[in-house]
């Protein structure tokens, strides 16, 4: 197989959740790292579980994350169609070949009867497996005469099963390789004769998946761990067709935030965390917010997802999509389940926000900020305000509120917080000193130095002196770097706030 081609092959049975997205992402990263193609194939052979909104959710999610397929149902390449329901004719041909070679057979068993058999086995603590041991006792083209088979076939009520093992076979085991798990050995006698073709004329997942991977010249199959038990069957199918096999890699499970058990779609509600990249409208009255709606940066979200089950082997954690492509290595995907930690997702967002150029945030947000606090701000310093703010928020949408909050002042709050500092005459002297110094157009660094010297002169602890000044200027007791705030506030505001705060302080001292 010369060209590298990887595919993401979701079944459109519901919204794309973060597990599916991670599979898509890893396929994309491996494909791009190796200069190959990334393909989206919609596996919609299960008509019963089909959800008409799912494909759009899958496509929109990939689009939002910029994980763009080179070939897909909406941008087909030369291997189309890219929806299995539109490839129906193709599969029949292949299943017929298997039947002709005795590698598959027709089965006519009544579903109810099989269910009864299953239950009877369960009662005995056993599992019913339709396979080499009992297929001759069941109702199929192996156990029935040609004539009986023909009658049943004419009724058009049959499925086709894969003949996974024959009593006289030389090999009782199959050994294959998984890129993540290494060598795997499976006892063929334990496999069941899976249905590969249904009576609605559609192949099942197994057949369609293998046929399409072959026809679409897929070089690497990278998918969730839940498909590992099917890998032996898939190998047997490749062998039955005499086709070259792709490389296989089965990704670890994503675990619940508690680290116990597989993350399920229901965990979103249970833990109050998003599990979809973008919003999903379940029905008229119920919808779930995605990471997009919560306000995540695309790069941050993709970076977070990339790290659930993979690491670059260095201390580096922050990557853009492009950087992930350059660093991603299938060999560093872990085997064991990886926990979904929403707090970590927020941390990634914060780190990516720091990477955004202040200038671009300024273009996006300066008008909104100015609308609200134009009167406090030294408008030349809006860049500094944005720089200070972006370090302190998890989401970009919080930038305006936080910027306003940093520069906020409220007399009542000031009074309330005043009781929490060690107020005395010297503190008032210190604040007065600051007020006089700041009025003299002094350089910020000098101002800071002078203020610190004065604290020393008055024998005031740095903590007390800083807290008091912060209180007088912002009515808060803690927050962003105070001297940066002083730099950003305009002189008039500083003066008014100091006068107001000093007055409140005098009153308090007098009344004590
Ligand atoms: N349609 C399967 C799924 O939704 C694809 C599994 C595979 O990638 O082979 O999980």
């Amino acid at each position: 197989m010369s060209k590298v081609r990887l595919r993401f092959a979701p079944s459109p049975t519901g919204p794309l959740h973060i597990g599916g997205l991670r599979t898509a992402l890893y396929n994309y990263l491996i494909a791009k790292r190796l200069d190959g193609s990334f393909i989206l194939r919609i596996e919609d052979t299960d008509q019963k579980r089909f959800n008409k909104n799912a494909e759009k959710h899958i496509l929109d999610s990939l689009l939002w994350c910029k994980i763009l397929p080179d070939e897909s149902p909406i941008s087909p390449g030369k291997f189309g169609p890219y929806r299995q329901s539109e490839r129906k004719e193709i599969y029949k041909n292949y299943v017929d070949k298997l039947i002709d070679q005795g590698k598959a057979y027709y089965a006519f068993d009544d579903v109810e009867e099989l269910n009864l058999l299953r239950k009877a086995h369960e009662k005995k603590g056993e599992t019913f497996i339709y396979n080499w041991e009992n297929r001759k006792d069941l109702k199929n083209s192996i156990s029935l005469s040609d004539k009986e088979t023909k009658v049943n076939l004419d009724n058009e009520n049959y499925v086709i099963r894969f003949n996974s093992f024959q009593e006289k076979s030389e090999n009782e085991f199959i050994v294959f390789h998984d890129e993540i798990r290494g060598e795997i050995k499976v006892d063929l006698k334990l496999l069941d004769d899976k249905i590969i073709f249904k009576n609605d004329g559609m192949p099942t997942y197994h057949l369609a998946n293998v046929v399409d991977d072959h026809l679409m010249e897929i070089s690497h199959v990278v998918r969730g761990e839940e498909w590992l038990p099917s890998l032996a069957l898939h190998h047997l199918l490749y062998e039955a067709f005499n086709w070259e096999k792709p490389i296989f890699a089965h990704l670890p499970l994503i675990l619940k935030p508690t680290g116990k058990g597989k993350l399920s779609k229901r965990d979103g509600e249970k833990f109050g965390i998003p599990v979809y990249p973008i919003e999903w409208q379940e029905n008229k009255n119920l919808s779930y917010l995605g990471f997009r709606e919560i306000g995540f940066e695309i790069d941050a979200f993709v970076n977070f997802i990339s790290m659930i089950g993979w690491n670059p082997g260095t201390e580096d954690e922050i990557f853009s999509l492009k950087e992930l492509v350059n660093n991603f290595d299938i060999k560093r995907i872990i085997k064991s389940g990886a926990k979904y930690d929403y707090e970590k997702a927020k941390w990634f967002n914060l780190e990516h926000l720091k990477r955004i150029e202040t200038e671009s945030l300024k273009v996006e947000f300066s008008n909104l900020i100015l609308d609200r606090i134009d009167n406090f701000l030294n408008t030349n310093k809006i860049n500094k305000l944005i720089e200070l703010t972006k370090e302190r928020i998890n989401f970009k949408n919080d930038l305006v509120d936080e910027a306003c909050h940093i520069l906020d002042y409220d007399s009542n709050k000031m009074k309330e917080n005043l009781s929490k500092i060690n107020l005395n005459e010297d503190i008032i002297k210190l604040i007065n000193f600051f007020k006089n110094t700041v009025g003299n157009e002094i350089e910020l660094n000098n101002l800071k130095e002078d203020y610190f010297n004065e604290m020393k002169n008055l024998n005031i602890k740095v903590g007390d002196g800083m807290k008091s000044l912060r209180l007088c200027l912002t009515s808060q007791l803690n927050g962003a770097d105070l001297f940066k705030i002083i730099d950003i506030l305009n002189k008039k505001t500083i003066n008014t706030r100091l006068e107001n705060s000093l007055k409140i302080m005098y009153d308090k001292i007098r009344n004590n």
Side-chain angles (χ1 to χ4, degrees):
M1 230 164 264
S2 50
K3 184 124 179 25
V4 169
R5 291 174 57 79
L6 284 91
R7 85 315 189 258
F8 174 49
S11 301
T13 53
L16 181 68
H17 56 91
I18 56 167
L21 188 86
R22 184 191 62 173
T23 304
L25 175 64
Y26 285 11
N27 274 283
Y28 172 88
L29 294 176
I30 298 164
K32 295 299 146 191
R33 177 83 204 264
L34 302 174
D35 260 337
S37 303
F38 171 62
I39 294 125
L40 172 68
R41 181 175 74 225
I42 299 293
E43 300 208 324
D44 54 352
T45 54
D46 190 347
Q47 313 265 282
K48 284 192 208 113
R49 295 179 60 218
F50 181 78
N51 179 317
K52 67 175 179 11
N53 300 320
E55 183 179 315
K56 183 166 169 19
H57 191 262
I58 294 166
L59 274 163
D60 289 350
S61 298
L62 294 181
L63 210 67
W64 179 61
C65 295
K66 302 201 175 91
I67 306 174
L68 305 179
D70 300 297
E71 298 163 30
S72 76
I74 54 159
S75 54
K78 60 176 183 169
F79 296 88
Y82 291 83
R83 282 186 201 96
Q84 289 185 329
S85 56
E86 294 164 16
R87 299 170 67 80
K88 218 168 147 182
E89 306 314 318
I90 300 176
Y91 311 113
K92 184 74 179 81
N93 226 345
Y94 287 97
V95 81
D96 285 347
K97 275 190 195 154
L98 295 179
I99 296 254
D100 288 348
Q101 295 168 29
K103 289 172 180 162
Y105 58 90
Y106 297 104
F108 313 106
D109 309 87
D110 185 73
V111 179
E112 281 307 307
E113 276 168 30
L114 286 184
N115 279 340
L116 288 177
L117 273 174
R118 242 170 239 130
K119 282 196 186 121
H121 274 71
E122 266 167 32
K123 257 193 187 152
K124 288 187 275 172
E126 294 168 2
T127 312
F128 171 74
I129 308 179
Y130 199 127
N131 70 359
W132 62 281
E133 275 188 298
N134 56 14
R135 65 169 85 97
K136 53 188 175 310
D137 308 319
L138 294 157
K139 203 174 163 192
N140 53 53
S141 55
I142 295 177
S143 62
L144 301 180
S145 68
D146 286 356
K147 208 169 139 202
E148 286 168 318
T149 297
K150 182 156 185 326
V151 173
N152 277 297
L153 280 178
D154 288 345
N155 279 342
E156 288 192 358
N157 197 7
Y158 64 85
V159 295
I160 298 175
R161 288 183 179 268
F162 186 68
N163 196 333
S164 51
F165 178 73
Q166 285 174 20
E167 231 165 326
K168 290 176 207 87
S169 302
E170 278 168 37
N171 298 328
E172 293 194 356
F173 292 92
I174 182 169
V175 180
F176 44 80
H177 178 82
D178 181 274
E179 282 296 289
I180 299 169
R181 282 140 221 280
E183 199 176 271
I184 299 170
K185 190 173 175 184
V186 173
D187 185 346
L188 293 177
K189 297 195 295 313
L190 300 179
L191 295 184
D192 60 344
D193 288 355
K194 275 264 172 344
I195 296 177
I196 54 174
F197 209 82
K198 295 172 289 182
N199 64 359
D200 61 2
M202 280 286 209
T204 60
Y205 155 73
H206 304 287
L207 180 76
N209 185 269
V210 166
V211 167
D212 286 347
D213 282 345
H214 171 73
L215 295 179
M216 293 183 173
E217 295 179 13
I218 298 303
S219 58
H220 298 60
V221 169
V222 178
R223 61 186 171 195
E225 186 178 276
E226 65 273 25
W227 297 109
L228 199 55
S230 306
L231 190 52
L233 168 66
H234 294 185
H235 269 259
L236 293 177
L237 279 166
Y238 277 98
E239 279 165 16
F241 288 120
N242 207 7
W243 289 338
E244 192 182 338
K245 296 175 196 100
I247 292 168
F248 286 98
H250 287 81
L251 305 176
L253 288 180
I254 298 187
L255 305 176
K256 292 179 197 296
T258 53
K260 286 194 194 102
K262 184 181 167 189
L263 180 78
S264 78
K265 293 182 182 177
R266 262 159 285 127
D267 289 331
E269 263 173 290
K270 191 166 156 205
F271 295 100
I273 50 176
V275 290
Y276 304 123
I278 63 173
E279 186 174 15
W280 170 252
Q281 190 84 35
E282 181 85 21
N283 55 44
K284 253 195 257 140
N285 307 316
L286 182 63
S287 75
Y288 297 99
L289 292 188
F291 282 81
R292 180 180 66 183
E293 290 71 31
I294 290 171
F296 276 84
E297 298 305 301
I298 301 171
D299 267 353
F301 170 63
V302 170
N303 192 172
F304 164 63
I305 295 294
S306 76
M307 294 284 188
I308 309 180
W310 173 84
N311 65 69
T314 62
E315 295 288 294
D316 298 339
E317 286 189 279
I318 306 303
F319 297 97
S320 65
L321 183 59
K322 220 175 179 176
E323 289 161 341
L324 282 172
V325 169
N326 293 333
N327 284 279
F328 200 80
D329 181 357
I330 194 169
K331 296 259 177 309
R332 297 211 57 88
I333 297 174
I334 60 168
K335 257 193 244 163
S336 51
K339 194 168 84 171
Y340 167 25
D341 179 355
Y342 185 57
E343 291 310 310
K344 190 83 195 198
K346 290 197 264 184
W347 176 82
F348 273 109
N349 208 58
L350 182 141
E351 289 301 315
H352 277 268
L353 278 179
K354 288 186 197 159
R355 278 184 150 201
I356 301 180
E357 295 285 334
T358 300
E359 207 45 48
S360 98
L361 292 173
K362 185 175 157 188
V363 171
E364 202 174 338
F365 292 108
S366 62
N367 281 343
L368 290 171
I369 295 176
L370 289 174
D371 274 353
R372 281 176 52 181
I373 50 170
D374 186 18
N375 47 340
F376 302 157
L377 199 63
N378 178 348
T379 38
N380 298 329
K381 299 288 169 83
I382 188 134
N383 279 29
K384 294 213 161 152
L385 174 60
I386 290 174
E387 240 153 60
L388 187 62
T389 311
K390 78 177 188 189
E391 304 271 328
R392 302 175 54 81
I393 49 173
N394 273 318
F395 298 106
K396 196 158 77 174
N397 293 344
D398 297 337
L399 191 121
V400 177
D401 279 348
E402 179 63 17
C404 298
H405 173 72
I406 288 176
L407 297 195
D408 209 12
Y409 175 87
D410 173 60
S411 282
N412 288 331
K413 185 125 211 129
M414 150 73 196
K415 280 181 201 151
E416 194 185 309
N417 279 333
L418 190 55
S419 54
K420 297 177 192 148
I421 66 161
N422 299 323
L423 181 62
N424 55 40
E425 299 281 349
D426 283 345
I427 292 280
I428 293 185
K429 265 189 213 152
L430 179 68
I431 302 295
N432 261 317
F433 169 83
F434 181 81
K435 187 168 165 275
N436 296 332
T437 323
V438 80
N440 295 335
E441 288 292 341
I442 258 175
E443 247 260 27
L444 192 70
N445 275 340
N446 296 342
L447 180 66
K448 192 169 175 181
E449 207 182 307
D450 290 349
Y451 189 71
F452 272 72
N453 283 336
E454 190 63 12
M455 281 194 275
K456 215 187 248 164
N457 292 341
L458 290 168
N459 228 344
I460 294 174
K461 282 195 206 132
V462 174
D464 288 340
M466 291 299 282
K467 222 175 230 173
S468 309
L469 184 57
R470 182 186 293 282
L471 181 67
C472 292
L473 287 168
T474 69
S475 61
Q476 311 283 335
L477 293 173
N478 37 47
D481 185 317
L482 182 59
F483 277 87
K484 286 189 181 162
I485 297 179
I486 291 167
D487 191 29
I488 296 165
L489 285 170
N490 63 35
K491 283 272 158 61
K492 188 168 157 265
T493 302
I494 293 182
N495 249 311
T496 323
R497 290 183 182 182
L498 289 174
E499 269 169 21
N500 189 53
S501 297
L502 278 165
K503 194 172 159 297
I504 296 171
M505 285 174 156
Y506 282 131
D507 283 353
K508 174 137 195 204
I509 288 224
R510 241 179 264 132
N511 291 338
N512 271 349

